[in-house]
Amino acid sequence: VFGTGRFHGPQPGGGSVPEQQTDVVFSVAGEEFGLVGGSVLIALFAVLCWRGLRIAGQADRTGRLLALGIVCWFAFQAFQNIGMNLGLTPVTGFPLPFVSYGGSSMFAQGLSIGLLQAVHRRSASAVTA
């Protein structure tokens, strides 16, 4: 339920999980942090998507489309990566947002969160004006 503890998982240490920091990082998180850690990670993605949908609901047409696109991007990548690790979807090279190792992916995700914040600020200032 709580996993083996950080850096104590036998699968990644034994070499049976290749490239554990990139595409199959959810399997490592699930083994080391257990059901609780995997559930917390999924809940954090759900909160991120929920907040993005709330931002989209308060925005104008352009901001709504931008926010919905970003939320769909994060939701699809998270679903695909977690499903790939659970054996539900085909193995692809999609990273787990904000968790997988990769500079360009992390950079693009950071920019997209900045865009979401810009949409939120613009919609909040339009309401007060």
Side-chain angles (χ1 to χ4, degrees):
V1 174
F2 296 105
T4 59
R6 191 163 186 219
F7 302 124
H8 295 331
Q11 295 292 328
S16 61
V17 177
E19 301 301 322
Q20 61 197 17
Q21 71 271 20
T22 56
D23 294 340
V24 290
V25 71
F26 187 76
S27 66
V28 174
E31 181 180 23
E32 293 182 355
F33 300 115
L35 179 66
V36 174
S39 300
V40 166
L41 196 57
I42 291 172
L44 288 173
F45 283 120
V47 167
L48 178 70
C49 291
W50 174 71
R51 287 293 300 154
L53 290 175
R54 288 205 42 206
I55 290 170
Q58 298 169 351
D60 59 346
R61 181 178 169 87
T62 305
R64 181 175 295 126
L65 289 174
L66 183 64
L68 284 175
I70 292 169
V71 167
C72 288
W73 173 35
F74 283 151
F76 176 75
Q77 275 194 337
F79 174 79
Q80 178 65 28
N81 189 287
I82 293 170
M84 171 183 71
N85 283 284
L86 295 176
L88 301 174
T89 58
V91 176
T92 59
F94 288 120
L96 189 60
F98 299 109
V99 181
S100 293
Y101 175 78
S104 60
S105 174
M106 193 69 76
F107 182 71
Q109 293 160 8
L111 285 176
S112 63
I113 291 295
L115 285 171
L116 272 177
Q117 289 297 320
V119 168
H120 180 64
R121 270 184 80 176
R122 183 174 179 201
S123 63
S125 66
V127 170
T128 60

